[in-house]
Amino acid sequence: MDSGSVKQSQKGAQNFEPRTATEMTRKTLVLILAGGEGSRLMDLTKWRAKPAVPICGKYRIIDFALSNCVNSGLRKITVLTQYKSHSLLRHLQRGWSFLRAEIGEFVELLPAQQRTAEKAWYKGTADALYQNIDIMRSHRAEYVIVLGGDHIYTMDYTKMLIQHVHSGADFTVGCIEVPKEEASSFGVMAVQDDMQISSFTEKPENPEPMPGKPDSALASMGIYVFSTRFLYETLKEDASNPASSHDFGKDIIPAKIKDSIAMAYAFADEKTGEPSFWRDVGTLESYWKTNMELCDIEPELNLYDQEWPIWTYQTQSPPAKFIFDDEGRRGEAIDSLVSGGCIISGARVKRSVISSGTTIESYSHVKDSVILPKVKIGKNCRITKAIIDKSCVIPDGTVIGEDLDEDRKNYHVSEEGIVLVTPGMLGQDLFSFEGD
């Protein structure tokens, strides 16, 4: 009998109790990896962790993973942090402390603490879990879901958990269908007809196509479901391997496919079968593009779904205000998101995301841009295809995005022509405003 047949025969041999989705979620611990440096977002992550970066007008990136957990009925959540975590920790304390520990619900914060004999910081995603293995054990979970805290999407994790349990898998990898020519930027899975994983390759030059779809490949979303006994044994084995980089995608997943039951879960629309909305906002271009997609008439990501709300911490702000109705001095926003506490004072905004507490003064034009919270844009400004960081004060008459060579003298300009502006680039004191 070959190894594939051995693995197949193991399915159904495990005890799949509890049967109901509610019982499964109660016995599941979620770990959100939120310690990444996020260096490809340039100065947006100079003083904050990537999951703490503001996005979509009023949220932080991590709010999407956390909201998915709560909406999926998963209420035992730990967040592992490391780099520049102050802003992230404060956001979690303010916005995510509503769960009740006395009934077994929590968002637990786990900063890097050098908990092993080496006294080292997290060396990889697997090492982050290994350093907290005693805490994980204390929660007595039967299943562990591991998520990244830096992706934008809405997903019911319960469906993936149910597949994992019913398939008898040791681990399940969440994946999404992508065009084959784009798959080299991801970890790519080759699967059998029943979605059992036969190989996993990190950023392959020639990605393996999907069965029956030669132009598409299955890319890892960085979402994993583990049966706890398998996870603990695997983490210990990996920690003792000096050749390992202690990363799930590079080390653990590829190594464990041969001698375990590894399944893929395809994240797709149940009605159409098409890939669901999922974005890795790891670069300035993808961050800007994701915000711009929300300005579409019918965006793929529905922030207005009352059955799947995105939770966050937010100050008590008044409604957005649009003032003046004179020719050339009309407060208006077209194909845009304008958050609470904003004042559009005789200015024109087109296809842009304007975050909470921002003021845009008369005769200014903002187009194809992402404006983060508490920005003040003066009079007679023209801003195009830009990202303006939180609390920037843009002086009267400033022009950004029209002459990229001139912009490069003061700001960061990406290869795609997106201009990033931060308080430091404007010569403004980063700490003259209240926090981040």
Side-chain angles (χ1 to χ4, degrees):
M1 182 181 293
D2 61 27
S3 60
S5 299
V6 171
K7 288 196 291 184
Q8 188 69 29
S9 68
Q10 291 172 341
K11 293 185 181 182
Q14 299 184 27
N15 179 7
F16 294 139
E17 295 294 344
R19 295 291 183 181
T20 69
T22 299
E23 289 173 324
M24 290 181 196
T25 56
R26 287 177 178 172
K27 294 182 179 295
T28 299
L29 177 68
V30 180
L31 292 99
I32 300 180
L33 301 174
E37 195 168 4
S39 58
R40 292 183 299 163
L41 285 176
M42 310 309 293
D43 285 39
L44 280 181
T45 51
K46 188 173 184 179
W47 301 106
R48 59 167 82 92
K50 179 181 173 184
V53 172
I55 196 167
C56 305
K58 60 180 288 185
Y59 307 106
R60 304 285 182 126
I61 293 174
I62 197 172
D63 289 328
F64 287 84
L66 286 166
S67 295
N68 289 338
C69 289
V70 172
N71 292 333
S72 299
L74 296 162
R75 304 296 178 93
K76 297 180 179 180
I77 307 165
T78 58
V79 181
L80 282 67
T81 67
Q82 181 159 248
Y83 294 103
K84 304 168 185 174
S85 61
H86 173 70
S87 176
L88 176 61
L89 293 172
R90 185 178 59 188
H91 174 72
L92 295 173
Q93 289 169 341
R94 290 178 175 180
W96 289 92
S97 59
F98 59 86
L99 298 181
R100 306 303 302 178
E102 58 266 35
I103 58 173
E105 302 178 349
F106 54 81
V107 174
E108 191 171 74
L109 308 180
L110 295 179
Q113 302 175 64
Q114 299 184 344
R115 295 172 58 86
T116 59
E118 293 183 47
K119 303 295 183 183
W121 299 113
Y122 298 150
K123 294 178 287 186
T125 53
D127 182 61
L129 267 63
Y130 176 73
Q131 289 203 33
N132 292 285
I133 197 170
D134 56 334
I135 295 175
M136 293 164 58
R137 285 182 177 277
S138 71
H139 291 301
R140 302 182 183 278
E142 292 188 16
Y143 313 105
V144 173
I145 297 179
V146 180
L147 309 172
D150 52 3
H151 300 135
I152 304 299
Y153 62 112
T154 57
M155 177 180 179
D156 186 351
Y157 300 132
T158 308
K159 296 175 182 178
M160 182 175 171
L161 177 62
I162 290 172
Q163 177 189 296
H164 171 81
V165 176
H166 288 173
S167 69
D170 294 306
F171 67 92
T172 300
V173 182
C175 56
I176 193 163
E177 180 181 335
V178 298
K180 186 178 178 182
E181 61 269 18
E182 299 176 12
S184 296
S185 301
F186 301 93
V188 175
M189 287 165 284
V191 297
Q192 301 172 14
D193 291 339
D194 64 350
M195 296 300 284
Q196 185 164 331
I197 303 172
S198 55
S199 68
F200 183 98
T201 309
E202 188 74 12
K203 298 181 179 180
E205 292 185 9
N206 186 24
E208 184 81 16
M210 293 177 60
K213 294 186 176 182
D215 297 326
S216 298
L218 279 177
S220 171
M221 301 167 65
I223 299 174
Y224 311 103
V225 181
F226 292 97
S227 298
T228 51
R229 179 179 297 179
F230 171 84
L231 176 62
Y232 298 153
E233 292 174 354
T234 300
L235 290 175
K236 290 180 179 179
E237 179 183 324
D238 177 75
S240 64
N241 181 4
S244 174
S245 61
H246 310 295
D247 183 83
F248 281 113
K250 294 179 181 178
D251 305 292
I252 286 184
I253 303 303
K256 284 297 178 181
I257 288 172
K258 295 180 180 179
D259 59 2
S260 61
I261 304 173
M263 301 297 294
Y265 174 83
F267 181 44
D269 186 283
E270 291 184 347
K271 295 180 180 178
T272 66
E274 294 297 315
S276 296
F277 183 95
W278 178 85
R279 298 291 184 268
D280 180 352
V281 288
T283 65
L284 287 180
E285 196 267 343
S286 61
Y287 174 84
W288 174 84
K289 185 178 179 180
T290 299
N291 278 278
M292 291 298 97
E293 287 178 301
L294 295 175
C295 297
D296 292 343
I297 295 175
E298 294 184 2
E300 289 186 64
L301 179 64
N302 182 11
L303 296 178
Y304 300 89
D305 185 353
Q306 296 184 1
E307 295 183 0
W308 202 270
I310 306 302
W311 300 81
T312 190
Y313 167 76
Q314 54 186 340
T315 58
Q316 296 303 312
S317 300
K321 186 177 182 180
F322 300 79
I323 56 176
F324 298 117
D325 190 22
D326 303 326
E327 191 64 34
R329 192 194 185 197
R330 180 173 292 114
E332 61 183 0
I334 302 166
D335 293 338
S336 298
L337 299 183
V338 181
S339 304
C342 291
I343 300 176
I344 312 300
S345 176
R348 190 171 196 267
V349 176
K350 186 172 182 180
R351 192 173 165 76
S352 295
V353 175
I354 312 298
S355 301
S356 309
T358 289
T359 300
I360 307 177
E361 297 290 350
S362 294
Y363 310 111
S364 289
H365 289 187
V366 176
K367 181 181 178 182
D368 297 330
S369 294
V370 183
I371 312 299
L372 272 60
K374 299 182 180 179
V375 169
K376 297 185 183 300
I377 298 176
K379 298 178 179 179
N380 295 299
C381 296
R382 299 197 307 274
I383 298 174
T384 304
K385 201 175 181 181
I387 301 170
I388 310 296
D389 198 3
K390 185 176 180 180
S391 295
C392 282
V393 179
I394 308 298
D396 293 351
T398 300
V399 178
I400 297 171
E402 296 182 8
D403 186 340
L404 297 183
D405 289 334
E406 188 66 26
D407 288 334
R408 289 187 181 93
K409 296 177 182 178
N410 299 300
Y411 317 124
H412 175 83
V413 180
S414 73
E415 293 181 359
E416 299 81 14
I418 301 163
V419 183
L420 172 63
V421 181
T422 66
M425 296 174 187
L426 294 166
Q428 295 162 6
D429 185 359
L430 182 68
F431 303 104
S432 63
F433 53 89
E434 182 186 354
D436 180 42

